[in-house]
């Protein structure tokens, strides 16, 4: 373990930095927003309903900006010192790696295989790693793919470590052509690896097209007569690192599991799968640390585990109550700008307060924390306090909190007391796993409530993160170069919508459940600024309502012949608005360097997709329906045979058309089409001279400002405007257009006749 001498330089340290330009921008915008609100308040009695609605919307935007300012005000991150770790730590702790997958169609097995191979090849003692793959789809194809991958891993892992390969996911590594300057030995090994990977890919592809031959092997008997929603537990050790010493030729443990499922039984989606992974790994390897990685996110930095250990082992010397370490996630496709920009602010921003939030993947967890421990349960040396021992380690308490499995109880006691765990998989634990994997095992226990990943939200990561910080723990954020993990994002539009809808709906579920940042204001140990930061995330979906109203205000004002600004004087208020819009647009365009269509859809998807999340959460609160976890479709670039020439390297494996504006008949495109038609109708009404020349009793009629507002709104929805004149998949379907036109007619009639 680590040398505990306090005179030695730290294994890691927290780096705080201040971006004064960013602070100046956000404070200027905040000042303009407050000035606009003050101006509207002072002139409230001179104006009509439009003025009141505008004030409401701008108040919401101001509150949102205050919360954002709180998040980005004092960014920080942790810097690990790997050279110091290598010098001072001889016996690294074990790490269990969790990879969940749920659908072999939407999450292709070859993608899961690449993720697993990148994790097995990490620069960490192989006898200290165990990779567990949870297959909620109970797919023999996924199992077959992993079984073949375990064979390929025996040559891939040594190859990566021998030549210090940078990218250890084969489908990404073989996108680059072989450099001609390489020595002959490496060239020979490289060609062997590429040929073997192509053979593996071909096997998986053949099995995907014809799965009948899978069952010719007795090893697949467990999958016979099973369906994804009705089957028993399946646990198979694909590779066991027996008596390993951690040299470069060894391969870590690889275990396939598929938890029991039965019809009409709620399985808690990903959170339920993660909790089963915790129990299975606890019964097999029981590592003190756990890393969870989504099936489409590969390890991009081979030293990431050792760098995370720099923080955890430094904590063991100078405790700061760090519960988990979150790594920055990057993407290998060109449709993820919205997520990247958001992450670049949220990660360091949260880290500068109480620590980054856990966001579902690329996160190292402490097993003891996931078992429900709080900082006050520990002594200064990290051991359990006497009070915590009495609270957690009694036979009655273990059964009540963790279930009635005696083997599971022993595992929990070992984890809480930090007893050294066995390096080899306990093959005699299969029966205990079946018991702990029973669908009724969690009944009347604390699993999903205070232990493990929390339920009651499809955003299980957000709920779990808030609960951990509420107990007084902190967390750490590391932003490595190159990024620790890289994943994929679905194309902007059709496939992105379900993902954003799930994220936002899950956040709203958290906002209204017992983990809400508004609850426990005075008795939880969630710091005030951290509470505000979580509030900005959980209630983000509610801002879609004022945004929708604000997009309709210019058209309503023009149709109703009312003004968003007072007749006299209007220069001050108009100047504030123009400055606000101009600063925000310039700042946003600086961040999003993309095509106009992709830029529009990148903010349209999270903003107006949130309207459906509000609909979902409303139905749930009324008890009419429940929220549903939708698996996002995953994609990967092709790496078929070839020399790695231009066709293979086109756009570095990226889809150059991923930001094309494709439309379908889903309701997702209805708000944008409706807003566009309303603003076009208002402009047409003005140009054709059909506007009723009425004047408001107080504020005066509409003018050039409202016309410019309508033009600006039409420009913001440029992809929808183009969709009115395109053909095929790039045109707005008649079904969507007719519904939007009907709503637009109702809006116009209401506005003119009111």
């Amino acid at each position: 373990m680590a040398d505990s001498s306090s005179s030695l330089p730290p294994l890691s340290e927290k780096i705080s930095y201040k971006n004064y330009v960013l602070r100046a921008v956000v404070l200027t915008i905040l000042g303009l927003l407050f000035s606009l609100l003050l101006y509207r308040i002072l002139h409230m009695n001179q104006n009509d309903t439009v003025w009141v609605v505008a004030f409401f919307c701008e108040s919401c935007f101001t509150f949102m900006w205050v919360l954002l300012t709180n998040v980005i005000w004092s960014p920080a991150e942790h810097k690990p010192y790997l050279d110091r770790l290598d010098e001072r730590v001889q016996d690294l702790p074990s790490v269990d790696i969790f990879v969940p997958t749920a659908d072999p169609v939407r999450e292709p097995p070859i993608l899961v295989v690449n993720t697993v191979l990148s994790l097995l090849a990490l620069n960490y003692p192989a006898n200290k790693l165990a990779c567990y793959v949870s297959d909620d789809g109970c797919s023999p194809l996924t199992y077959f793919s992993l079984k073949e991958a375990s064979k390929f891993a025996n040559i891939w892992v040594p190859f990566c470590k021998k030549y210090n390969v940078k990218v250890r996911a084969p489908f990404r590594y073989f996108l680059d052509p072989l450099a001609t300057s390489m020595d002959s030995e490496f060239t020979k090994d490289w060609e062997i690896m590429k040929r073997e990977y192509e053979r593996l890919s071909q096997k998986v592809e053949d099995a995907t097209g014809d799965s009948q031959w899978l069952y010719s092997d007795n090893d697949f008997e467990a999958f016979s007569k099973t369906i994804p929603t009705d089957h028993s537990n399946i646990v198979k050790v694909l590779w066991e690192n027996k008596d390993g010493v951690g040299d470069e030729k060894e391969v870590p443990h690889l275990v396939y599991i598929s938890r029991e499922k039965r019809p009409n039984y709620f399985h808690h989606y990903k959170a339920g799968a993660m909790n089963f992974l915790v129990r299975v790994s606890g019964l097999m390897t029981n590592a003190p640390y756990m890393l969870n990685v989504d099936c489409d996110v590969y390890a991009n930095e081979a030293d990431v585990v050792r760098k995370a250990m720099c923080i955890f082992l430094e904590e063991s010397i100078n405790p700061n109550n760090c519960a988990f370490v979150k790594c920055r996630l990057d993407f290998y496709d060109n449709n993820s700008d919205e997520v990247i920009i958001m992450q670049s602010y949220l990660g360091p921003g949260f880290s500068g307060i109480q620590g980054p939030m856990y966001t579902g993947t690329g996160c190292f967890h402490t097993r003891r924390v996931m078992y429900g421990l709080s900082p006050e349960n520990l002594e200064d040396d990290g051991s359990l306090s006497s009070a915590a021992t009495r609270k957690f380690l009694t036979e009655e308490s273990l059964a009540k909190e963790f279930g009635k499995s005696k083997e599971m109880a022993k595992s929990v006691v070992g984890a809480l007391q930090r007893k050294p765990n066995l390096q080899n998989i306990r093959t005699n634990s299969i029966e205990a796993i079946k018991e702990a994997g029973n669908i009724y095992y969690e009944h009347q226990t604390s699993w999903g409530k205070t232990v493990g990943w929390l339920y009651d939200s499809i955003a299980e990561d957000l709920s779990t993160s808030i609960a951990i910080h509420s107990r007084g723990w902190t967390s750490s954020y590391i932003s490595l170069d190159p990024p620790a993990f890289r994943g994929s994002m679905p194309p902007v539009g059709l496939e992105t919508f379900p993902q954003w809808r799930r994220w936002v709906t899950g956040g709203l579920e958290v906002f209204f459940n017992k983990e809400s940042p508004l609850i426990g204001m005075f008795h939880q140990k969630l710091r005030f600024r951290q509470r505000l930061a979580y509030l900005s995330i959980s209630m983000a979906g509610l801002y879609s309502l004022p945004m929708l109203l604000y997009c309709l205000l210019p058209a309503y004002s023009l149709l109703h012949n009312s003004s968003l600004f007072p007749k006299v004087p209007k220069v001050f208020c108009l100047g504030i608005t123009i400055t606000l819009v101009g600063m925000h647009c310039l700042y946003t365009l600086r961040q999003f360097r993309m095509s106009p269509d992709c830029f529009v859809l990148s903010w349209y998807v999270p903003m107006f997709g949130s309207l459906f999340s509000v609909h979902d959460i409303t139905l749930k609160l009324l008890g009419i329906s429940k929220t549903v976890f939708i698996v996002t479709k995953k994609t990967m670039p092709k790496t078929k045979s070839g020399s790695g020439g231009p066709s293979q390297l086109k756009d570095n494996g990226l889809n150059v058309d991923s930001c094309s504006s494709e439309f379908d008949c889903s309701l997702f495109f209805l708000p944008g089409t409706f807003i566009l038609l309303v603003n076009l109708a208002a402009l047409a009404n003005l140009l054709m001279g059909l506007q009723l020349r009425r004047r408001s009793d107080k504020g005066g009629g509409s003018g050039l400002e409202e016309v410019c507002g309508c033009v600006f709104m039409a420009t913001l929805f440029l992809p929808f405007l183009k969709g009115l004149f395109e053909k095929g998949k790039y045109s707005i379907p008649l079904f969507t257009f007719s519904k939007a036109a009907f709503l637009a007619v109702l809006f116009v009639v209401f506005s003119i006749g009111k």
Side-chain angles (χ1 to χ4, degrees):
M1 297 299 291
D3 190 333
S4 60
S5 176
S6 58
S7 62
L8 295 174
L11 297 176
S12 67
E13 62 178 327
K14 185 176 181 179
I15 308 296
S16 301
Y17 49 92
K18 299 177 181 179
N19 189 331
Y20 291 104
V21 174
L22 178 62
R23 284 188 176 187
V25 171
V26 297
L27 285 180
T28 301
I29 293 177
L30 192 60
L32 290 170
L33 284 168
F34 277 117
S35 299
L36 182 58
L37 291 180
L38 178 61
Y39 190 83
R40 290 203 181 276
I41 291 173
L42 294 175
H43 296 81
M44 189 68 70
N45 61 347
Q46 303 177 15
N47 297 277
D48 58 10
T49 307
V50 174
W51 196 262
V52 176
V53 174
F55 175 76
F56 164 75
C57 295
E58 290 158 359
S59 298
C60 293
F61 301 152
T62 303
F63 180 65
M64 178 176 62
W65 198 257
V66 169
L67 296 181
L68 177 63
T69 302
N70 165 70
V71 172
I72 65 179
W73 189 255
S74 53
E77 62 183 61
H78 273 78
K79 181 179 181 181
Y81 297 103
L82 195 57
D83 54 337
R84 300 174 186 175
L85 178 76
D86 295 337
E87 291 175 1
R88 290 154 49 184
V89 180
Q90 292 75 43
D91 187 19
L92 290 166
S94 300
V95 179
D96 289 337
I97 305 174
F98 302 156
V99 180
T101 183
D103 188 334
V105 176
R106 301 186 71 81
E107 298 172 336
I110 191 62
L111 191 62
V112 182
V113 161
N114 275 273
T115 295
V116 169
L117 288 172
S118 72
L119 296 169
L120 294 177
L122 290 169
N123 285 339
Y124 204 77
N127 61 330
K128 297 296 183 72
L129 288 179
C131 182
Y132 296 85
V133 180
S134 170
D135 178 19
D136 258 11
C138 192
S139 167
L141 176 61
T142 300
Y143 173 67
F144 169 80
S145 302
L146 290 170
K147 187 177 180 180
E148 294 298 319
S150 67
K151 302 173 185 176
F152 176 70
N154 281 278
I155 59 173
W156 173 249
V157 171
F159 170 78
C160 290
K161 293 184 177 180
K162 178 180 179 180
Y163 296 108
N164 194 26
V165 172
K166 300 301 181 182
V167 178
R168 301 191 177 183
F171 85 110
R172 296 296 298 173
Y173 176 69
F174 291 119
L175 282 175
D176 295 325
L178 181 63
T180 56
S181 60
M182 293 296 180
D183 61 74
S184 58
E185 182 183 3
F186 173 78
T187 301
K188 181 180 178 181
D189 290 345
W190 186 91
E191 291 174 347
I192 292 174
M193 287 300 106
K194 189 171 189 296
R195 186 165 56 250
E196 289 299 320
Y197 175 68
E198 289 173 353
R199 186 177 301 170
L200 168 63
S201 300
Q202 190 62 52
K203 285 184 178 180
V204 174
E205 185 175 333
D206 291 342
T208 303
D210 181 13
S211 61
Q212 294 299 321
W213 68 280
L214 294 175
Y215 300 100
S216 60
D217 190 336
N218 292 333
D219 196 27
F220 292 88
E221 185 178 354
F223 295 93
S224 62
K225 298 179 182 180
T226 63
I227 59 175
T229 58
D230 189 7
H231 62 87
S232 301
N233 287 314
I234 301 176
V235 180
K236 291 184 176 291
V237 179
L238 295 170
W239 179 262
E240 184 175 0
N241 184 286
K242 295 181 178 179
D243 304 321
V245 294
D247 66 30
E248 293 186 349
K249 294 183 179 180
E250 295 177 13
V251 177
H253 305 304
L254 178 59
V255 182
Y256 171 92
I257 69 172
S258 185
R259 59 184 173 135
E260 181 182 9
K261 284 190 174 183
R262 300 301 175 194
N264 303 320
Y265 185 86
F266 189 46
H267 299 91
H268 302 290
Y269 307 120
K270 182 180 176 180
M274 296 301 294
N275 284 339
F276 185 51
L277 282 166
V278 173
R279 294 198 292 274
V280 171
S281 63
L283 291 167
M284 284 190 158
T285 48
N286 206 27
Y289 300 103
M290 304 175 293
L291 164 64
N292 82 281
V293 181
D294 284 349
C295 67
D296 62 324
V297 176
Y298 67 86
N300 190 59
E301 165 57 79
D303 293 317
V304 61
V305 180
R306 292 160 63 224
K307 290 183 178 180
M309 290 304 114
C310 289
I311 297 174
F312 283 128
L313 297 182
E314 178 64 27
E315 289 291 325
S316 67
I317 301 172
N318 301 304
N320 192 31
N321 301 329
C322 179
F324 60 86
V325 174
K326 180 69 180 74
C327 302
R328 180 171 70 92
L329 174 66
D330 197 8
F331 300 90
Y332 55 78
D333 36 27
N334 59 352
N335 45 26
S336 54
D337 300 71
E338 176 75 18
V339 177
I340 291 176
I341 297 300
M342 182 176 67
Q343 179 183 240
S344 68
Y345 289 127
L346 295 184
F350 273 73
S351 184
I353 309 174
Q354 192 173 343
M357 64 178 178
Y358 162 49
T359 53
T361 186
C363 189
F364 293 84
H365 298 274
T366 309
R367 188 179 290 270
R368 296 202 300 172
V369 174
M370 298 305 287
Y371 281 167
L373 285 188
S374 298
E376 63 264 21
N377 299 138
L378 305 177
E379 301 288 358
D380 291 340
D381 62 354
S383 62
L384 279 181
S385 65
S386 57
T389 301
R390 293 191 299 271
K391 176 182 178 182
F392 286 98
L393 301 188
T394 64
E395 185 176 345
E396 180 182 358
S397 176
L398 287 169
K400 180 181 179 181
E401 294 288 318
F402 302 98
K404 297 180 180 180
S405 168
K406 293 183 179 180
E407 289 294 320
M408 189 68 218
K410 292 179 183 178
S411 168
V412 171
V413 171
L416 294 180
Q417 293 183 337
R418 297 195 301 182
K419 293 180 180 179
N421 59 296
L422 296 175
Q423 302 302 325
N424 292 329
I425 286 180
R426 298 170 59 192
T427 54
N428 62 343
S429 59
I430 300 299
E431 289 302 319
I433 290 173
K434 290 181 179 179
E435 180 185 2
N438 186 281
I439 58 174
Y440 300 108
Y441 181 81
E442 294 182 350
H443 185 58
Q444 293 184 343
T445 68
S446 294
W447 287 101
K449 300 173 186 175
T450 58
V451 174
W453 274 254
L454 301 193
Y455 303 151
D456 199 30
S457 171
I458 56 177
E460 78 292 329
D461 49 358
L462 183 58
S463 290
T464 304
S465 183
I466 294 176
I468 290 173
H469 284 135
S470 295
R471 298 203 302 267
W473 294 103
T474 63
S475 54
S476 300
Y477 179 77
I478 54 177
S479 179
L480 304 180
D481 186 19
F485 299 95
R486 300 190 77 190
S488 66
M489 281 289 291
V492 174
L494 299 179
E495 287 296 338
T496 314
F497 169 54
Q499 187 170 58
W500 278 102
R501 184 175 182 176
R502 172 164 57 84
W503 288 346
V504 176
T505 302
L508 290 175
E509 284 183 307
V510 172
F511 181 73
F512 289 106
N513 70 15
K514 61 186 178 73
E515 301 301 332
S516 173
L518 294 177
I519 298 177
M521 183 70 73
F522 301 104
H523 67 270
Q524 290 181 348
K525 296 182 180 179
L526 195 62
R527 299 175 190 174
F528 178 71
R529 283 188 60 200
Q530 189 82 356
R531 192 179 298 276
L532 293 181
Y534 275 124
L535 193 64
S536 68
I537 299 300
S538 60
M539 65 180 301
L542 297 179
Y543 294 118
S544 59
L545 297 175
M547 180 61 73
L548 175 63
L549 291 175
Y550 212 70
C551 288
L552 296 173
L553 275 180
Y556 177 85
S557 300
L558 203 59
L559 291 167
H560 189 248
N561 196 29
S562 57
S563 177
L564 277 173
F565 311 101
K567 184 68 176 177
V568 179
K570 65 169 67 175
V571 176
F572 179 74
C573 189
L574 183 59
I576 292 176
T577 305
I578 293 175
T579 306
L580 267 172
V581 172
M583 285 189 64
H584 191 272
C585 287
L586 288 174
Y587 181 70
T588 305
L589 286 170
R590 177 179 174 272
Q591 302 296 331
F592 296 89
R593 299 172 182 176
M594 58 181 81
S595 67
D597 282 11
C598 197
F599 168 70
V600 171
L601 289 176
S602 67
W603 66 262
Y604 176 83
V605 171
M607 183 56 66
F608 289 99
S610 301
L611 288 171
F612 299 91
S613 298
V614 175
H615 171 266
D616 294 340
I617 198 66
T618 301
L619 293 181
K620 179 181 178 179
L621 294 175
L622 294 176
I624 298 175
S625 66
K626 295 181 179 180
T627 54
V628 178
F629 189 103
I630 300 176
V631 178
T632 307
K633 185 177 181 180
K634 312 298 193 304
T635 58
M636 62 180 290
K638 298 292 183 181
T639 57
K640 281 291 181 182
S641 58
S643 61
S647 62
Q648 195 177 13
L649 295 172
K650 183 179 179 181
D651 200 19
N652 196 24
L654 308 179
N655 179 10
V656 295
D657 296 324
S658 60
C659 284
S660 299
S661 305
E662 298 180 15
F663 299 93
D664 65 3
C665 294
S666 67
L667 293 177
F668 167 60
F669 296 106
L670 181 60
T673 309
F674 166 63
I675 293 172
L676 173 67
L677 293 180
V678 163
N679 282 278
L680 291 179
L683 292 172
N685 178 62
L686 177 68
L687 293 174
M688 295 175 66
L690 299 177
Q691 182 177 10
L692 299 179
R693 295 298 176 183
R694 301 179 301 168
R695 299 187 67 84
S696 173
D697 294 335
K698 298 179 179 179
S702 57
L704 181 61
E705 302 83 5
E706 287 71 30
V707 175
C708 293
C710 288
V711 173
F712 181 68
M713 285 297 116
T715 305
L716 275 183
F717 292 88
L718 181 63
F720 294 86
L721 182 61
K722 292 165 62 177
L724 296 177
F725 305 98
E726 296 284 354
K727 294 181 179 181
K729 64 180 181 179
Y730 299 109
S731 67
I732 297 176
L734 180 61
F735 177 80
T736 303
F737 178 81
S738 58
K739 284 193 172 184
F742 175 73
L743 293 175
V745 170
L746 292 181
F747 182 87
V748 170
V749 172
F750 170 79
S751 302
I752 294 178
K754 193 172 182 302

